[in-house]
Amino acid sequence: MELILTPRQEQSLVMTFQLKQAIELLQYSTYDLYQYIKEQELENPLIELEEQPPDFLYTERSNGKTILTGSSQQLLDYAQSNDIGMRHNLVEQAKLLFRDKDDQQLLKYLIHNLDDSGFLHLTSDELFDKATIERGIHLLQQLGPIGLGARCMKECLLLQITYNYPEEKLAKRLIENHLDLLANRKWNELSRTMKIPLTNVKETYDFIQTLNPTPCFGISDFSVEYLVPDIVVEYKDGNLIYYLNESYLPEIHFNNQYSNLMNVKDETSKYINNQFASYKWLLSSIEQRRLTILKIVEFLIKRQESFFREGFSSLKPLTLKEVASEIDMHESTVSRATMNKVIQTPKGSFDLRKLFTSKLERNDGNLISQTEVKLLLENIIKKENKCKPFSDQQIANHFNDEKGITIARRTISKYREELNIPPASRRKEISV
């Protein structure tokens, strides 16, 4: 067998390192871009950064995070909170309230085994026996909200009844023996099993609803999270304006002290010229990223203007592919440019991807966004007769008959689960 070498020419696409970096740069958030620029300064001696003054206006969000937006109106002091956590407070209270060192040690051990909701989670191999643990749980009730240190939901509710409502014997018996029937709203079965009328079942259920299933939610120490929007859309003189929130990005300058080494024909010159090419590439890539994002946002504002004025109920169906086609870009470019971006609007701050939603077709041929369908679903369930809640199939029929929207039962079920709405059996209330 003879081996022969045959030359052959062929073309292939090869992704260079700089192209790969440019793609990654496109999907960076503004904060990630800031970090990347700082890294480039350390790697490239030709890059000099001029930091911008920390000039921000901050506003609180409902979920506990803080939004920071570029502004010249107010300076935000980035000072770490000196507040001590609730867990630390409980340990200090135990030292003040209980003089016995063994009690203090027991309570400290239990407090440090509480989860974020105040429930106690212990392993089988513990430092204290069962009776001591039980005593410690009852001591915990003197330190924090009643129910603190419970090992399960049932124990949490029973502790609240024991300490705050000892006269509620029926509620205590129901929780001890039939909490599963209560959770699944088996009203008639509860009535038969406990041999009480539905009226008493309803009164007991209404009382249990007043108890707190997580009396110590948020016990863990936490720090304030700051969310910096990448894009800001706001009203000015009745018109929508938009801009990238990048005023805190440092200005990138060329370090002139190396310029005289660029024309010398040696290894140093070769290195300096390579770094100069990287410097120019960085400036070009950042500018290209900025223009790409602005082009996408400009189209979004034109297409979704009603959303920016009225909210999610007016959000039109829109896909990445449609945007890419309209602005003459590849879909993958639009996908990367919208990734990891937060947009601040007059209707709140959220992930930019929320402006993209799939569509459903009405019977008349018009389109409706998935987001609007979910809002309609929430409204239907909100207004339903809670004694006879709608099944998923009934809701699907309602959409078809009343709204002219053809939608499958399994789609209703999927949307309902995404909205954290329980099924009809779990929404049913007592009819007396």
Side-chain angles (χ1 to χ4, degrees):
M1 181 177 179
E2 186 179 1
L3 297 177
I4 301 175
L5 292 176
T6 305
R8 184 177 62 183
Q9 287 185 334
E10 62 179 18
Q11 291 182 331
S12 62
L13 292 174
V14 178
M15 181 177 291
T16 64
F17 175 75
Q18 286 191 337
L19 178 58
K20 183 179 178 182
Q21 287 292 90
I23 291 174
E24 291 180 357
L25 206 65
L26 190 60
Q27 62 193 31
Y28 282 168
S29 67
T30 309
Y31 178 76
D32 292 333
L33 178 61
Y34 173 82
Q35 297 295 331
Y36 180 78
I37 293 173
K38 297 288 287 184
E39 291 173 5
Q40 292 300 301
E41 179 191 28
L42 296 176
E43 296 176 5
N44 192 335
L46 302 187
I47 294 177
E48 277 188 343
L49 299 183
E50 181 183 343
E51 293 287 350
Q52 303 300 312
D55 191 15
F56 297 98
L57 172 68
Y58 69 95
T59 53
E60 286 292 330
R61 293 181 70 191
S62 58
N63 62 1
K65 292 183 179 179
T66 301
I67 299 259
L68 306 180
T69 55
S71 171
S72 59
Q73 302 176 40
Q74 185 173 354
L75 180 67
L76 175 66
D77 181 13
Y78 285 93
Q80 185 175 5
S81 173
N82 292 321
D83 294 340
I84 57 177
M86 185 175 182
R87 199 186 303 274
H88 178 79
N89 277 332
L90 291 172
V91 172
E92 293 302 312
Q93 288 179 43
K95 292 178 182 178
L96 294 174
L97 192 59
F98 302 101
R99 296 299 180 186
D100 186 270
K101 294 296 183 181
D102 291 338
D103 286 346
Q104 292 181 10
Q105 193 66 25
L106 170 62
L107 288 170
K108 183 178 180 181
Y109 173 76
L110 295 181
I111 290 169
H112 284 290
N113 279 279
L114 298 175
D115 66 12
D116 289 351
S117 297
F119 286 99
L120 181 65
H121 293 284
L122 300 173
T123 61
S124 56
D125 184 20
E126 297 300 337
L127 299 177
F128 303 96
D129 57 41
K130 185 176 180 180
T132 304
I133 295 293
E134 293 284 350
R135 184 172 67 84
I137 291 173
H138 285 280
L139 291 178
L140 277 175
Q141 310 313 302
Q142 302 178 49
L143 298 179
I146 302 299
L148 177 67
R151 287 158 289 191
C152 61
M153 180 75 67
K154 178 188 290 188
E155 185 176 11
C156 176
L157 298 177
L158 288 175
L159 282 170
Q160 293 177 60
I161 291 178
T162 299
Y163 283 90
N164 293 336
Y165 309 98
E167 71 283 357
E168 296 290 343
K169 305 294 185 184
L170 186 59
K172 183 177 181 180
R173 181 160 65 94
L174 192 156
I175 292 172
E176 283 179 332
N177 304 307
H178 308 294
L179 190 59
D180 56 333
L181 295 179
L182 181 70
N184 291 302
R185 302 192 172 211
K186 303 291 185 180
W187 310 126
N188 292 325
E189 189 173 346
L190 266 174
S191 178
R192 290 194 303 270
T193 304
M194 297 186 68
K195 298 179 181 179
I196 57 175
L198 279 173
T199 304
N200 293 102
V201 173
K202 178 172 173 54
E203 290 174 353
T204 305
Y205 169 74
D206 290 342
F207 163 72
I208 293 174
Q209 286 287 92
T210 65
L211 303 179
N212 192 345
T214 53
C216 215
F217 181 76
I219 188 175
S220 287
D221 302 340
F222 63 92
S223 58
V224 176
E225 293 183 48
Y226 294 98
L227 180 63
V228 182
D230 305 279
I231 305 147
V232 177
V233 179
E234 58 189 15
Y235 284 117
K236 188 173 183 179
D237 299 327
N239 298 316
L240 286 169
I241 64 169
Y242 62 94
Y243 55 90
L244 296 187
N245 183 33
E246 53 185 19
S247 60
Y248 64 92
L249 289 180
E251 290 187 12
I252 303 174
H253 301 294
F254 177 71
N255 189 344
N256 288 312
Q257 72 180 60
Y258 293 97
S259 58
N260 60 340
L261 299 175
M262 296 179 66
N263 298 320
V264 180
K265 301 300 181 180
D266 57 13
E267 290 298 319
T268 302
S269 174
K270 183 178 179 181
Y271 170 77
I272 294 297
N273 278 283
N274 286 336
Q275 295 302 316
F276 182 67
S278 297
Y279 162 77
K280 291 194 297 183
W281 168 85
L282 179 62
L283 294 178
S284 174
S285 297
I286 291 175
E287 180 63 14
Q288 185 60 45
R289 171 188 177 275
R290 188 182 72 84
L291 293 175
T292 300
I293 296 174
L294 286 175
K295 194 173 183 180
I296 293 171
V297 173
E298 181 181 10
F299 174 77
L300 287 175
I301 289 179
K302 290 179 181 177
R303 184 65 177 268
Q304 302 287 16
E305 183 176 358
S306 57
F307 158 75
F308 290 104
R309 297 186 184 278
E310 301 171 20
F312 279 103
S313 60
S314 299
L315 190 64
K316 296 179 181 178
L318 185 64
T319 63
L320 293 172
K321 185 176 182 180
E322 289 175 313
V323 175
S325 177
E326 289 289 338
I327 64 177
D328 196 24
M329 287 185 182
H330 195 276
E331 184 179 351
S332 63
T333 302
V334 176
S335 176
R336 291 187 178 97
T338 56
M339 191 180 299
N340 305 316
K341 306 297 188 299
V342 173
I343 183 170
Q344 179 177 304
T345 76
K347 297 302 177 181
S349 299
F350 37 79
D351 193 302
L352 183 60
R353 290 291 185 96
K354 284 197 173 183
L355 294 184
F356 298 90
T357 176
S358 58
K359 52 194 173 184
L360 296 172
E361 188 172 354
R362 292 181 182 269
N363 296 340
D364 58 7
N366 292 323
L367 301 175
I368 184 172
S369 71
Q370 182 187 97
T371 302
E372 188 173 351
V373 171
K374 288 182 179 180
L375 291 173
L376 290 172
L377 173 60
E378 281 185 305
N379 193 47
I380 290 171
I381 292 177
K382 183 179 179 181
K383 294 180 179 179
E384 71 183 355
N385 181 356
K386 296 303 179 184
C387 296
K388 293 182 180 179
F390 295 132
S391 66
D392 291 342
Q393 185 60 57
Q394 288 175 317
I395 295 175
N397 294 340
H398 176 81
F399 270 106
N400 184 59
D401 299 336
E402 302 295 329
K403 304 294 183 180
I405 303 171
T406 302
I407 188 170
R409 179 202 59 79
R410 63 180 178 275
T411 306
I412 293 294
S413 178
K414 174 187 172 183
Y415 290 173
R416 180 177 49 73
E417 290 174 359
E418 290 175 357
L419 294 168
N420 293 318
I421 297 175
S425 61
R426 299 286 300 275
R427 303 198 304 270
K428 186 176 181 180
E429 295 184 357
I430 303 173
S431 176
V432 294

Short mmCIF file of all heavy atoms in Angstrom, two decimals, residues 51-80:
data_model
loop_
_atom_site.label_atom_id
_atom_site.label_comp_id
_atom_site.label_asym_id
_atom_site.label_seq_id
_atom_site.Cartn_x
_atom_site.Cartn_y
_atom_site.Cartn_z
N GLU A 51 -11.63 57.72 35.15
CA GLU A 51 -12.85 57.35 35.86
C GLU A 51 -13.81 58.53 35.93
O GLU A 51 -13.39 59.69 36.08
CB GLU A 51 -12.53 56.86 37.27
CG GLU A 51 -11.76 55.54 37.32
CD GLU A 51 -12.62 54.35 36.95
OE1 GLU A 51 -13.85 54.52 36.84
OE2 GLU A 51 -12.06 53.25 36.77
N GLN A 52 -15.10 58.20 35.85
CA GLN A 52 -16.14 59.22 35.95
C GLN A 52 -16.57 59.36 37.41
O GLN A 52 -16.55 58.39 38.17
CB GLN A 52 -17.34 58.84 35.08
CG GLN A 52 -16.99 58.64 33.63
CD GLN A 52 -16.39 59.89 33.01
OE1 GLN A 52 -16.92 60.99 33.17
NE2 GLN A 52 -15.26 59.74 32.31
N PRO A 53 -16.98 60.54 37.84
CA PRO A 53 -17.46 60.69 39.23
C PRO A 53 -18.71 59.88 39.44
O PRO A 53 -19.56 59.77 38.54
CB PRO A 53 -17.74 62.19 39.35
CG PRO A 53 -17.95 62.67 37.95
CD PRO A 53 -17.05 61.81 37.09
N PRO A 54 -18.88 59.27 40.62
CA PRO A 54 -20.08 58.46 40.91
C PRO A 54 -21.31 59.32 41.07
O PRO A 54 -21.64 59.77 42.16
CB PRO A 54 -19.71 57.74 42.22
CG PRO A 54 -18.74 58.66 42.88
CD PRO A 54 -17.97 59.33 41.77
N ASP A 55 -21.98 59.58 39.96
CA ASP A 55 -23.12 60.51 39.96
C ASP A 55 -24.37 59.73 39.61
O ASP A 55 -24.63 59.44 38.45
CB ASP A 55 -22.87 61.61 38.93
CG ASP A 55 -23.86 62.74 39.06
OD1 ASP A 55 -24.52 62.81 40.10
OD2 ASP A 55 -23.96 63.54 38.13
N PHE A 56 -25.17 59.36 40.63
CA PHE A 56 -26.34 58.52 40.41
C PHE A 56 -27.55 59.06 41.15
O PHE A 56 -27.44 59.72 42.19
CB PHE A 56 -26.10 57.08 40.90
CG PHE A 56 -25.03 56.36 40.16
CD1 PHE A 56 -23.76 56.28 40.70
CD2 PHE A 56 -25.28 55.77 38.94
CE1 PHE A 56 -22.76 55.61 40.03
CE2 PHE A 56 -24.29 55.10 38.27
CZ PHE A 56 -23.03 55.02 38.81
N LEU A 57 -28.70 58.72 40.62
CA LEU A 57 -29.97 58.93 41.32
C LEU A 57 -30.52 57.55 41.61
O LEU A 57 -30.59 56.71 40.72
CB LEU A 57 -30.95 59.71 40.44
CG LEU A 57 -32.38 59.83 40.99
CD1 LEU A 57 -32.37 60.72 42.23
CD2 LEU A 57 -33.29 60.42 39.93
N TYR A 58 -30.88 57.26 42.85
CA TYR A 58 -31.34 55.91 43.15
C TYR A 58 -32.79 55.92 43.63
O TYR A 58 -33.25 56.84 44.27
CB TYR A 58 -30.43 55.25 44.21
CG TYR A 58 -30.51 55.84 45.59
CD1 TYR A 58 -31.35 55.30 46.55
CD2 TYR A 58 -29.73 56.94 45.93
CE1 TYR A 58 -31.42 55.83 47.81
CE2 TYR A 58 -29.80 57.48 47.21
CZ TYR A 58 -30.64 56.92 48.14
OH TYR A 58 -30.70 57.45 49.38
N THR A 59 -33.49 54.85 43.29
CA THR A 59 -34.89 54.70 43.69
C THR A 59 -35.12 53.27 44.13
O THR A 59 -34.53 52.34 43.60
CB THR A 59 -35.85 55.01 42.52
OG1 THR A 59 -35.47 54.21 41.39
CG2 THR A 59 -35.77 56.47 42.14
N GLU A 60 -35.99 53.08 45.12
CA GLU A 60 -36.26 51.75 45.65
C GLU A 60 -37.23 50.99 44.76
O GLU A 60 -38.17 51.55 44.22
CB GLU A 60 -36.84 51.83 47.07
CG GLU A 60 -35.84 52.19 48.13
CD GLU A 60 -34.80 51.10 48.35
OE1 GLU A 60 -35.13 49.92 48.16
OE2 GLU A 60 -33.65 51.44 48.69
N ARG A 61 -37.02 49.69 44.65
CA ARG A 61 -37.95 48.82 43.95
C ARG A 61 -38.77 48.05 44.97
O ARG A 61 -38.39 47.86 46.11
CB ARG A 61 -37.21 47.81 43.07
CG ARG A 61 -36.49 48.44 41.89
CD ARG A 61 -35.81 47.40 41.06
NE ARG A 61 -36.75 46.58 40.33
CZ ARG A 61 -36.43 45.47 39.69
NH1 ARG A 61 -35.20 45.03 39.70
NH2 ARG A 61 -37.34 44.78 39.04
N SER A 62 -39.92 47.51 44.51
CA SER A 62 -40.81 46.79 45.41
C SER A 62 -40.22 45.48 45.87
O SER A 62 -40.57 44.97 46.92
CB SER A 62 -42.16 46.53 44.71
OG SER A 62 -41.95 45.79 43.51
N ASN A 63 -39.31 44.88 45.10
CA ASN A 63 -38.74 43.60 45.48
C ASN A 63 -37.52 43.73 46.38
O ASN A 63 -36.84 42.76 46.65
CB ASN A 63 -38.38 42.79 44.23
CG ASN A 63 -37.32 43.47 43.40
OD1 ASN A 63 -36.83 44.55 43.76
ND2 ASN A 63 -36.96 42.86 42.29
N GLY A 64 -37.25 44.94 46.84
CA GLY A 64 -36.16 45.12 47.79
C GLY A 64 -34.85 45.55 47.17
O GLY A 64 -33.94 45.99 47.85
N LYS A 65 -34.72 45.44 45.85
CA LYS A 65 -33.50 45.87 45.20
C LYS A 65 -33.57 47.37 44.93
O LYS A 65 -34.62 47.95 44.89
CB LYS A 65 -33.29 45.11 43.87
CG LYS A 65 -33.01 43.63 44.07
CD LYS A 65 -32.73 42.96 42.73
CE LYS A 65 -32.43 41.49 42.92
NZ LYS A 65 -32.17 40.82 41.63
N THR A 66 -32.41 47.96 44.74
CA THR A 66 -32.35 49.39 44.49
C THR A 66 -31.90 49.64 43.07
O THR A 66 -30.92 49.07 42.61
CB THR A 66 -31.36 50.06 45.47
OG1 THR A 66 -31.81 49.82 46.79
CG2 THR A 66 -31.28 51.55 45.22
N ILE A 67 -32.64 50.50 42.37
CA ILE A 67 -32.30 50.86 41.00
C ILE A 67 -31.38 52.08 41.02
O ILE A 67 -31.68 53.06 41.68
CB ILE A 67 -33.57 51.22 40.21
CG1 ILE A 67 -34.49 50.02 40.16
CG2 ILE A 67 -33.20 51.70 38.82
CD1 ILE A 67 -34.47 49.27 38.91
N LEU A 68 -30.28 52.03 40.30
CA LEU A 68 -29.39 53.18 40.16
C LEU A 68 -29.47 53.67 38.73
O LEU A 68 -29.32 52.90 37.80
CB LEU A 68 -27.94 52.78 40.47
CG LEU A 68 -27.67 52.09 41.81
CD1 LEU A 68 -26.20 51.78 41.91
CD2 LEU A 68 -28.10 52.97 42.95
N THR A 69 -29.69 54.95 38.53
CA THR A 69 -29.71 55.49 37.18
C THR A 69 -28.80 56.70 37.11
O THR A 69 -28.69 57.47 38.06
CB THR A 69 -31.13 55.92 36.75
OG1 THR A 69 -31.64 56.84 37.71
CG2 THR A 69 -32.05 54.73 36.68
N GLY A 70 -28.14 56.85 35.96
CA GLY A 70 -27.23 57.97 35.78
C GLY A 70 -27.96 59.29 35.85
O GLY A 70 -28.96 59.49 35.19
N SER A 71 -27.49 60.22 36.67
CA SER A 71 -28.14 61.52 36.82
C SER A 71 -27.17 62.48 37.47
O SER A 71 -26.24 62.08 38.16
CB SER A 71 -29.39 61.37 37.69
OG SER A 71 -29.92 62.62 38.02
N SER A 72 -27.40 63.75 37.27
CA SER A 72 -26.57 64.76 37.92
C SER A 72 -27.30 65.37 39.11
O SER A 72 -26.89 66.37 39.65
CB SER A 72 -26.24 65.87 36.92
OG SER A 72 -27.44 66.45 36.43
N GLN A 73 -28.37 64.73 39.55
CA GLN A 73 -29.20 65.33 40.58
C GLN A 73 -28.77 64.95 41.99
O GLN A 73 -28.95 65.70 42.94
CB GLN A 73 -30.66 64.93 40.38
CG GLN A 73 -31.22 65.33 39.02
CD GLN A 73 -32.63 64.82 38.85
OE1 GLN A 73 -33.43 64.86 39.78
NE2 GLN A 73 -32.96 64.35 37.67
N GLN A 74 -28.21 63.76 42.15
CA GLN A 74 -27.97 63.31 43.52
C GLN A 74 -26.81 62.33 43.56
O GLN A 74 -26.66 61.49 42.67
CB GLN A 74 -29.24 62.64 44.06
CG GLN A 74 -29.13 62.24 45.53
CD GLN A 74 -30.47 61.75 46.05
OE1 GLN A 74 -31.46 61.79 45.36
NE2 GLN A 74 -30.48 61.26 47.25
N LEU A 75 -25.96 62.45 44.54
CA LEU A 75 -24.81 61.57 44.67
C LEU A 75 -25.15 60.44 45.63
O LEU A 75 -25.63 60.67 46.73
CB LEU A 75 -23.61 62.36 45.21
CG LEU A 75 -22.32 61.57 45.39
CD1 LEU A 75 -21.77 61.15 44.03
CD2 LEU A 75 -21.29 62.42 46.12
N LEU A 76 -24.92 59.21 45.20
CA LEU A 76 -25.22 58.06 46.04
C LEU A 76 -23.96 57.66 46.80
O LEU A 76 -22.92 57.44 46.21
CB LEU A 76 -25.69 56.88 45.18
CG LEU A 76 -25.92 55.57 45.94
CD1 LEU A 76 -27.06 55.73 46.92
CD2 LEU A 76 -26.18 54.43 44.99
N ASP A 77 -24.10 57.59 48.09
CA ASP A 77 -22.98 57.18 48.92
C ASP A 77 -22.98 55.66 49.02
O ASP A 77 -23.90 55.07 49.58
CB ASP A 77 -23.13 57.80 50.32
CG ASP A 77 -21.99 57.43 51.24
OD1 ASP A 77 -20.97 56.91 50.74
OD2 ASP A 77 -22.10 57.67 52.45
N TYR A 78 -21.96 55.03 48.45
CA TYR A 78 -21.88 53.57 48.50
C TYR A 78 -21.31 53.13 49.85
O TYR A 78 -20.17 52.70 49.97
CB TYR A 78 -20.95 53.05 47.40
CG TYR A 78 -21.56 53.10 46.03
CD1 TYR A 78 -21.36 54.21 45.22
CD2 TYR A 78 -22.32 52.05 45.55
CE1 TYR A 78 -21.91 54.26 43.95
CE2 TYR A 78 -22.87 52.09 44.28
CZ TYR A 78 -22.66 53.20 43.50
OH TYR A 78 -23.20 53.24 42.25
N ALA A 79 -22.11 53.23 50.87
CA ALA A 79 -21.68 52.83 52.20
C ALA A 79 -22.36 51.53 52.58
O ALA A 79 -23.56 51.37 52.40
CB ALA A 79 -22.02 53.92 53.22
N GLN A 80 -21.61 50.60 53.07
CA GLN A 80 -22.18 49.32 53.48
C GLN A 80 -23.02 49.51 54.72
O GLN A 80 -22.67 50.24 55.64
CB GLN A 80 -21.07 48.31 53.75
CG GLN A 80 -21.60 46.91 54.07
CD GLN A 80 -20.47 45.92 54.22
OE1 GLN A 80 -19.31 46.30 54.17
NE2 GLN A 80 -20.80 44.67 54.41
#
